[in-house]
Amino acid sequence: MGSDYPSETWPRISFWLSLLINIAIFFTPLVDRPASRGELILFALPDAVVTLTTLLATYRVADFHQRAMRQQMILGLIVTVAACATLFTLVLMDPHTGHFWGLG
């Protein structure tokens, strides 16, 4: 992405923040359990949140079209944060308790 946007700083900031978050994930309980291929995709969700946040922080709004684009990016950020929080909660939940689904 840095080569696609050579004059902008958000791709580099996004990369370094995503790298720090991915390193921090290795110190969570997610690493202590065997992961399926689908659970490995969970590592990309925080990266999407960081990338959208840094893009939003540096996005310049000059007209109505750019304002609409920014609003769509904010909505995408909200949906991504909700999906990330939901999936990480489901993964970190104890599988032996079915109280969450009303099964216990």
Side-chain angles (χ1 to χ4, degrees):
M1 285 180 23
S3 62
D4 291 338
Y5 304 98
S7 63
E8 297 185 27
T9 59
W10 69 267
R12 287 182 289 285
I13 294 169
S14 176
F15 171 76
W16 290 111
L17 287 175
S18 296
L19 180 66
L20 288 174
I21 289 174
N22 287 335
I23 290 171
I25 286 177
F26 282 108
F27 298 106
T28 66
L30 287 174
V31 180
D32 294 337
R33 44 191 304 261
S36 66
R37 281 186 255 160
E39 287 178 348
L40 291 177
I41 293 173
L42 292 176
F43 287 97
L45 284 174
D47 296 341
V49 170
V50 168
T51 302
L52 278 170
T53 304
T54 55
L55 179 59
L56 277 168
T58 59
Y59 192 74
R60 307 243 188 263
V61 176
D63 59 2
F64 291 113
H65 176 69
Q66 290 175 344
R67 180 172 289 147
M69 289 298 297
R70 185 180 179 118
Q71 290 171 349
Q72 289 176 1
M73 286 190 287
I74 290 171
L75 178 64
L77 178 64
I78 292 169
V79 169
T80 305
V81 167
C84 184
T86 303
L87 289 175
F88 274 122
T89 301
L90 291 174
V91 167
L92 292 174
M93 223 171 55
D94 187 17
H96 301 292
T97 59
H99 299 294
F100 183 77
W101 299 106
L103 302 172

